[in-house]
Amino acid sequence: MGLLGVLKAGGAYLPLEPQYPMARLSFMLEDAGVRVLLTQEHLLDSLPSHWSQVICLDTDWESIAQQSELNPQSNVSADNLAYVMYTSGSTGTPKGVSVVHRNVVRLVKETGYADFGPGETFLQFAPISFDASTFEIWGSLLNGAKLVLMPPGTPSLDELGDALGRYEITTLWLTAGLFHLMVDEQPESLRGVRHLLAGGDALSVAHVKRMLERLSDGRRLINGYGPTEGTTFTCCHVMDRNSGLDTSVPIGWPIANTQVYVLDEQMQPVPTGVAGELYIGGDGLARCYLNRPELTAEKFTPHPYSNALGARLYRTGDSVRRKADDTIEFLGRLDQQVKIRGFRIEPGEIETALASHGAVKESIVLARSADGPGEKRLAAYVVLKQSNSLTAENLRAFLKDRLPEYMVPSAVIVLDEMPLTRNGKVDRRALSSPEQAQAGAFKTFVAPRTPIEEVLAGLWSEVLNVKRVGADADFFDLGGHSLLATQLVSRAREIFHADVALRELFEHPTVAGFAAAIEEAQRAGQPFEAAPPIRQVPREGLLPLSFAQQRLWFLDQLMPGSTFYNISAAIRLSGQLNFAALQDALSEMVRRHEILRTTFAFAEGGPAQVIHPPQQLPLPVFDLSELEADEREARVLHMAKEEAQYSFDLAKGPLLRTSLLRLGESEHVLLVTMHHIISDGWSIGVMVREVSTLYPAFVDGRSSPLTELAVQYADFASWQNAWLSREVLERELSYWKHQLANVPAMLDLPTDRPRSKMTAHRGSSESFVLSEALSGSLKELSLREGTTLFMTLLAAWQVLLARYAGQEDVCVGTPIANRNRVETESLIGFFVNTLVLRVKLQGNLSFTELLKQVREVCLGAYAHQDVPFEKLVEELQPERSLHHSPLFQVMFALQNAPMQPLQLSGLNLSMVQVPLSSAKFDLLLAIQESEDGLSATLDYDTDLFDSHTIQRLTRHYVRLLKGIVANPSQRLSTLPLLSDDERQHLLLECNDTATPYPRQDCLHH
């Protein structure tokens, strides 16, 4: 009673291998509920104890002969279980894939990738427990073909080649590893195979090309791809001697009765060329994981694009992308993706680049542990062709010309051959062993070689918060961005007294390269006019306001009692709170920073700062613990919103308020509100850092571990008023006058309602996420084009605004920390400035061309960031109106100010989200980096826009970004915005000439 008998009887079979570990065999027998076990006498000792009926096919002939010779009556349908095949599980527990008859028939009958018939001879080369055996056994039996069984054991390449010729094998499946070996050692033995299939791992382009050259007419090489859950093959790429190849071998198209989708994290289709996860559906999809309903529910998801009852998709965990010819390119396993210095990296892409080198035979790239805890570096394992003197450093140099620096492996380890598993796949565990790691150390550390390099390495380490920096360390590769670059350059100028521009760091981002730029500036002998240091000024007499404070004070005089510039936060504290330590920590912070106990008086014809003596900060407690849970949470939100909307009196103060809501013994919410005139976003990071240090010290009864501040915000305000004299200001203003000459009065975006004569600043917000894959692609594009992530996101935002407004001249405002002096980095206060970034999109630019323009605009603005926005408006005198802000109406911000995690000893802290009720601008797009990608919030003026309009705008922004990373060389006019449904809506409904007036929703498109 063999497989056919089992299947005719309506049963299912479980393929087992005697080489399995005893525990694995025992688990599978128990899990599958095996009733009859077919084996041989000499294998009995290899089996665990079990309750199945055992039949030895070589000795139990009498029992077998007693069975009926008649075919059993069969009521088997296409949806009955055919077999259960166990695969490795991520937790170490095997998972049983339940395959039904329909799945197998779809694999080998009218397949779309080959035409099998009685004239074929298949070789069963794969172990029966490997799903390739499904193709071999049933491909032959269900097509009336011949099946040749390879003798047990592991044959040599010579034996395999001999079998192919002796039995005239016409259909053969090989793992990628064995295919590569056969092409190298026995290529002639493959010439007679009509259907040569290979897969299981990525195929080497070089090996495929060599095989294609040897193929006779009518012979085909097929790259077969598919998980066990898809029944052996999901996609196939058929090639003959006339097929051309690029830098990788595609996995092709889905076979017959199979559907595939390339989707993002929200299961939305991604554009051509953009990486996504491969989902598969159709008649090849297995039923489930046996006895694993939770895992089945996780991996077999409802089909969002099918109306068929019960239709499902299987998420493969494989990263792929569609090519321009609609074939699918395999990039690697998603669970093999690694994150290094914030970048998601597909090792498969590096392997593809290595394979394009003529001397490389095979390669595998892995992430390996590095120096620090949690740190990783890339290691490449390479097998070279014979008689080749290529070195690891040669290969690294080769990759540097083809990949971003962060994708170049730190170690390249040359092996004689790849270790293989018994199924012929590369044994990655063997590559990951300590012995293999010792065979090739990571890239040699290049120590700084000159005094300038040594100092710069120290600055790199300090600014980027990394421990070990070599001469070849790349600033942006280590996580640097524009804000940190400004800090580093300002420090370098002061130390070396060299007039080195921010632009030099972008063009020479390594320690050695930037050191050479500094040496060149010193040799040029150009005078360096450093701003004077910030010094303490006497506290007697009047203390001036900074330029930014002057504007807020003036606006407060126009609209007294306005809450427009309130900064508020609600922080949930879970755990045992030490109230006295918290109050003391907040009070000590107020003592340290004079600005937190400053008010603003009118004296001698103008405003002046008044600094009050330190005292205990009031921290009133409101007990809500007696309320029911729902009512309590509602009360928290109400009180937080009410507190945020309570106005300040700038003359009387205080301008910092705190209160504590008690929700229970171990649950509190801290409310903090400040006026913007004494704080900004960077300041919040300083406050978090200081309270996180002070609180545990006071809990333990220790004194403050923080060092006293050298200067205060009042000293900065006095310095700014003295330094930005008319001469300096005129020199800086000349740049802005040229940059903003004839600037448009406003960005005329289509709105849901006309503007009122005076804006009420009522607002709301819409949050969305840029996926991890998209975020990684944007970072990669930025590095490749020599820009920052901020510049790339900004350029896309300006493209979207231009398309919406129908304008080619677009101005966007952006906040900048303005902390370009060492003395100001640890201060709380209102330092932030606003820059106007203007781009012109004439001439049908490509996105990469626009990106170059945006880079120049940003670098120019950073170089002249000291001019306060208030002075800029005063000098340029743009058209003023109460219904829109001057120079720009839309803001963009990438939140990357230093901010350590919000944490206090013994407490879990989290932010309470309080709904936004005001908007300073028409639109403000704020993006923040997180572990899961980029999170974004779009604030908008609700007097101008409806929520559905803003939701559509955010969808268009995401679609635009996906189109950009897919093809950054596209012309701006061709970048995708609309979905298929929106395009259909525009073409049919909005062009309906029977309607005399256009519909409002059509205007927005």
Side-chain angles (χ1 to χ4, degrees):
M1 185 180 180
L3 295 181
L4 287 175
V6 172
L7 295 176
K8 284 182 177 180
Y13 67 93
L14 169 65
L16 298 174
E17 293 285 333
Q19 295 89 347
Y20 283 154
M22 192 73 74
R24 183 181 176 96
L25 277 172
S26 180
F27 170 83
M28 291 190 291
L29 289 168
E30 182 71 25
D31 189 57
V34 172
R35 296 171 59 186
V36 178
L37 181 61
L38 304 180
T39 184
Q40 294 178 321
E41 180 92 22
H42 71 281
L43 297 176
L44 288 177
D45 291 340
S46 304
L47 296 174
S49 59
H50 56 91
W51 50 268
S52 311
Q53 178 185 357
V54 178
I55 297 177
C56 293
L57 295 175
D58 55 347
T59 58
D60 291 339
W61 290 109
E62 292 183 5
S63 299
I64 296 173
Q66 293 174 9
Q67 302 298 316
S68 172
E69 294 183 359
L70 298 175
N71 281 334
Q73 184 65 36
S74 176
N75 296 315
V76 175
S77 72
D79 294 317
N80 278 106
L81 193 64
Y83 63 80
V84 177
M85 185 164 288
Y86 281 83
T87 66
S88 299
S90 58
T91 63
T93 302
K95 52 188 180 184
V97 180
S98 301
V99 175
V100 301
H101 290 253
R102 182 193 309 277
N103 304 154
V104 178
V105 173
R106 157 261 182 205
L107 173 66
V108 297
K109 298 292 289 184
E110 299 180 3
T111 65
Y113 62 89
D115 184 17
F116 301 126
E120 298 296 325
T121 300
F122 286 70
L123 178 67
Q124 189 191 334
F125 187 67
I128 194 172
S129 60
F130 189 29
D131 69 342
S133 67
T134 302
F135 165 76
E136 295 167 342
I137 295 171
W138 302 109
S140 59
L141 298 185
L142 293 184
N143 287 293
K146 183 191 299 183
L147 178 63
V148 175
L149 305 182
M150 197 72 184
T154 304
S156 66
L157 296 182
D158 289 337
E159 290 171 332
L160 175 57
D162 180 67
L164 295 178
R166 182 189 308 170
Y167 300 108
E168 298 180 347
I169 301 299
T170 63
T171 302
L172 174 68
W173 191 92
L174 297 174
T175 64
L178 287 173
F179 168 75
H180 296 153
L181 289 174
M182 288 294 288
V183 171
D184 289 333
E185 306 294 337
Q186 293 275 341
E188 293 304 313
S189 65
L190 299 173
R191 288 176 57 88
V193 179
R194 184 162 59 182
H195 299 121
L196 175 57
L197 298 99
D201 270 334
L203 297 182
S204 155
V205 174
H207 287 82
V208 169
K209 285 183 175 179
R210 285 161 57 191
M211 191 65 236
L212 292 179
E213 291 172 357
R214 287 176 165 82
L215 286 183
S216 306
D217 290 337
R219 266 56 174 171
R220 298 191 294 180
L221 172 61
I222 302 170
N223 184 16
Y225 159 87
T228 303
E229 293 82 352
T231 316
T232 311
F233 294 150
T234 295
C235 295
C236 285
H237 185 61
V238 182
M239 298 165 280
D240 59 26
R241 62 186 306 171
N242 299 315
S243 298
L245 277 182
D246 199 356
T247 56
S248 66
V249 183
I251 59 175
W253 292 278
I255 70 173
N257 301 308
T258 303
Q259 299 92 47
V260 299
Y261 300 85
V262 185
L263 307 178
D264 61 18
E265 286 83 351
Q266 287 74 45
M267 292 189 71
Q268 296 297 311
V270 300
T272 298
V274 176
E277 183 173 359
L278 185 65
Y279 286 72
I280 62 177
D283 290 341
L285 204 59
R287 177 190 290 174
C288 63
Y289 291 118
L290 188 67
N291 303 323
R292 302 284 293 276
E294 75 295 335
L295 186 60
T296 300
E298 175 189 344
K299 300 292 284 185
F300 293 82
T301 65
H303 196 320
Y305 305 107
S306 173
N307 295 322
L309 185 64
R312 300 169 305 155
L313 291 179
Y314 172 73
R315 52 184 316 167
T316 65
D318 287 334
S319 177
V320 301
R321 59 186 169 206
R322 288 189 183 275
K323 302 178 72 173
D325 61 0
D326 213 33
T327 58
I328 297 172
E329 180 182 20
F330 177 82
L331 300 178
R333 287 289 300 167
L334 286 169
D335 55 14
Q336 288 174 6
Q337 284 183 338
V338 292
K339 195 171 204 178
I340 296 179
R341 297 187 296 279
F343 290 93
R344 281 287 176 183
I345 296 173
E346 290 281 2
E349 290 193 52
I350 307 172
E351 293 167 5
T352 298
L354 279 168
S356 67
H357 194 293
V360 173
K361 183 177 176 181
E362 292 180 86
S363 66
I364 291 289
V365 176
L366 299 176
R368 302 293 309 282
S369 297
D371 299 332
E375 296 180 5
K376 287 184 177 294
R377 294 290 185 269
L378 293 170
Y381 297 85
V382 176
V383 176
L384 300 177
K385 296 176 181 177
Q386 293 180 348
S387 303
N388 199 292
S389 60
L390 193 69
T391 67
E393 283 306 308
N394 294 149
L395 283 173
R396 292 190 76 254
F398 174 80
L399 290 177
K400 280 185 176 182
D401 291 337
R402 289 157 178 78
L403 297 173
E405 177 65 29
Y406 69 87
M407 290 182 69
V408 177
S410 301
V412 176
I413 303 164
V414 179
L415 304 175
D416 292 331
E417 61 182 9
M418 291 290 180
L420 301 179
T421 66
R422 64 181 304 274
N423 285 334
K425 293 187 176 183
V426 174
D427 188 351
R428 293 172 182 266
R429 291 185 179 182
L431 292 174
S432 299
S433 67
E435 292 78 16
Q436 290 288 348
Q438 293 169 3
F442 292 123
K443 181 179 68 173
T444 303
F445 177 76
V446 180
R449 294 153 294 194
T450 68
I452 293 180
E453 286 184 3
E454 289 181 4
V455 174
L456 286 178
L459 290 180
W460 247 250
S461 177
E462 181 181 357
V463 171
L464 296 172
N465 194 26
V466 293
K467 293 181 180 179
R468 195 175 186 221
V469 177
D472 57 353
D474 186 293
F475 183 81
F476 298 102
D477 189 22
L478 292 176
H481 49 70
S482 301
L483 180 60
L484 296 178
T486 302
Q487 276 187 298
L488 186 132
V489 171
S490 66
R491 295 184 188 190
R493 284 173 175 170
E494 292 184 14
I495 292 172
F496 298 110
H497 297 283
D499 191 13
V500 58
L502 179 64
R503 180 186 311 278
E504 295 291 342
L505 183 58
F506 277 81
E507 295 177 355
H508 309 285
T510 65
V511 168
F514 194 54
I518 289 175
E519 291 173 352
E520 180 63 30
Q522 290 176 332
R523 282 194 297 271
Q526 297 176 352
F528 174 59
E529 297 182 22
I534 300 175
R535 306 288 191 192
Q536 286 189 359
V537 297
R539 294 303 188 256
E540 300 81 18
L542 298 179
L543 294 172
L545 278 63
S546 69
F547 294 125
Q549 286 180 321
Q550 290 174 23
R551 178 170 177 263
L552 291 196
W553 181 87
F554 178 72
L555 291 173
D556 186 73
Q557 304 306 300
L558 290 177
M559 298 180 292
S562 170
T563 62
F564 192 56
Y565 288 99
N566 283 13
I567 300 175
S568 62
I571 307 163
R572 188 180 297 273
L573 314 173
S574 301
Q576 293 304 312
L577 174 67
N578 187 320
F579 175 83
L582 177 62
Q583 186 175 32
D584 288 346
L586 293 170
S587 299
E588 171 62 10
M589 180 183 66
V590 173
R591 184 201 68 80
R592 287 171 49 78
H593 296 272
E594 292 177 347
I595 190 65
L596 298 179
R597 42 191 170 89
T598 296
T599 57
F600 301 85
F602 188 83
E604 298 184 10
Q609 297 194 52
V610 179
I611 301 171
H612 299 272
Q615 58 184 359
Q616 186 83 333
L617 181 72
L619 186 58
V621 179
F622 300 90
D623 195 344
L624 307 180
S625 60
E626 298 300 322
L627 300 177
E628 294 293 330
D630 291 346
E631 184 181 357
R632 187 166 60 238
E633 291 302 318
R635 185 65 178 161
V636 167
L637 287 178
H638 175 77
M639 293 184 71
K641 192 170 183 179
E642 190 176 59
E643 165 59 32
Q645 294 300 309
Y646 190 72
S647 63
F648 289 99
D649 186 329
L650 298 189
K652 293 181 179 179
L655 302 183
L656 165 66
R657 293 193 300 264
T658 58
S659 58
L660 192 68
L661 310 183
R662 183 178 182 273
L663 310 186
E665 283 294 329
S666 58
E667 195 81 9
H668 298 79
V669 172
L670 176 66
L671 302 182
V672 180
T673 309
M674 299 173 286
H675 195 282
H676 206 344
I677 202 168
I678 66 166
S679 186
D680 57 17
W682 183 296
S683 299
I684 294 172
V686 175
M687 297 173 74
V688 168
R689 186 167 63 248
E690 292 202 354
V691 173
S692 297
T693 302
L694 293 168
Y695 176 80
F698 293 162
V699 167
D700 296 338
R702 295 181 283 116
S703 59
S704 168
L706 298 174
T707 57
E708 289 298 309
L709 298 167
V711 294
Q712 296 280 343
Y713 186 84
D715 302 314
F716 163 77
S718 298
W719 170 87
Q720 187 187 54
N721 278 269
W723 180 61
L724 278 180
S725 61
R726 198 66 202 167
E727 181 182 347
V728 175
L729 193 60
E730 278 295 338
R731 186 172 66 243
E732 294 295 302
L733 278 171
S734 63
Y735 166 82
W736 289 107
K737 288 179 180 178
H738 177 266
Q739 181 67 16
L740 301 179
N742 302 315
V743 69
M746 65 179 297
L747 184 66
D748 192 17
L749 293 170
T751 60
D752 293 294
R753 284 168 294 281
R755 294 177 183 272
S756 59
K757 292 183 179 180
M758 181 174 178
T759 180
H761 295 294
R762 286 184 286 266
S764 187
S765 63
E766 181 73 27
S767 296
F768 60 103
V769 174
L770 305 182
S771 71
E772 206 169 328
L774 177 57
S775 303
S777 296
L778 289 165
K779 290 178 181 179
E780 180 182 338
L781 172 63
S782 303
L783 280 180
R784 192 166 63 243
E785 296 298 326
T787 65
T788 63
L789 181 62
F790 169 86
M791 296 173 186
T792 302
L793 292 168
L794 169 66
W797 181 234
Q798 288 172 311
V799 170
L800 184 66
L801 295 173
R803 295 270 288 269
Y804 262 66
Q807 293 179 210
E808 294 182 331
D809 196 340
V810 176
C811 287
V812 170
T814 189
I816 189 166
N818 204 27
R819 305 272 185 148
N820 55 357
R821 299 191 60 82
V822 178
E823 304 100 309
T824 64
E825 291 176 9
S826 300
L827 293 182
I828 295 172
F830 184 27
F831 292 91
V832 67
N833 194 13
T834 302
L835 303 179
V836 185
L837 304 177
R838 179 188 189 183
V839 296
K840 298 178 181 180
L841 298 89
Q842 301 102 323
N844 197 22
L845 298 172
S846 68
F847 184 78
T848 51
E849 290 170 337
L850 174 66
L851 204 49
K852 289 182 175 64
Q853 182 187 156
V854 170
R855 170 180 152 159
E856 292 304 307
V857 167
C858 289
L859 290 176
Y862 299 154
H864 300 85
Q865 63 178 284
D866 288 319
V867 178
F869 179 73
E870 297 72 26
K871 289 291 183 184
L872 189 60
V873 174
E874 178 184 319
E875 187 70 25
L876 295 179
Q877 296 184 347
E879 178 185 330
R880 303 302 294 266
S881 171
L882 293 176
H883 69 61
H884 67 81
S885 59
L887 297 180
F888 63 88
Q889 295 78 48
V890 176
M891 287 278 283
F892 176 80
L894 179 62
Q895 309 288 6
N896 52 18
M899 182 76 72
Q900 72 180 52
L902 198 61
Q903 56 187 11
L904 292 179
S905 177
L907 294 169
N908 293 320
L909 276 64
S910 59
M911 300 300 297
V912 178
Q913 297 301 322
V914 180
L916 178 74
S917 58
S918 63
K920 296 181 175 65
F921 303 94
D922 293 0
L923 299 170
L924 191 163
L925 177 60
I927 300 180
Q928 186 165 6
E929 293 193 62
S930 68
E931 283 297 314
D932 299 323
L934 296 169
S935 57
T937 301
L938 182 58
D939 299 342
Y940 61 96
D941 190 325
T942 53
D943 289 335
L944 297 177
F945 302 103
D946 291 330
S947 61
H948 65 82
T949 299
I950 298 302
Q951 290 167 4
R952 182 170 60 239
L953 188 146
T954 61
R955 291 196 303 269
H956 288 170
Y957 184 58
V958 174
R959 188 169 290 114
L960 180 67
L961 290 171
K962 289 180 178 179
I964 286 169
V965 298
N967 183 6
S969 299
Q970 283 187 83
R971 299 296 166 186
L972 302 181
S973 57
T974 62
L975 286 169
L977 282 190
L978 305 180
S979 66
D980 292 340
D981 290 343
E982 288 173 327
R983 192 174 293 106
Q984 186 80 355
H985 173 71
L986 278 177
L987 291 174
L988 298 182
E989 298 177 39
C990 295
N991 282 330
D992 186 355
T993 55
T995 304
Y997 301 104
R999 289 165 40 173
Q1000 186 71 9
D1001 59 342
C1002 297
L1003 290 175
H1004 288 305
H1005 289 295

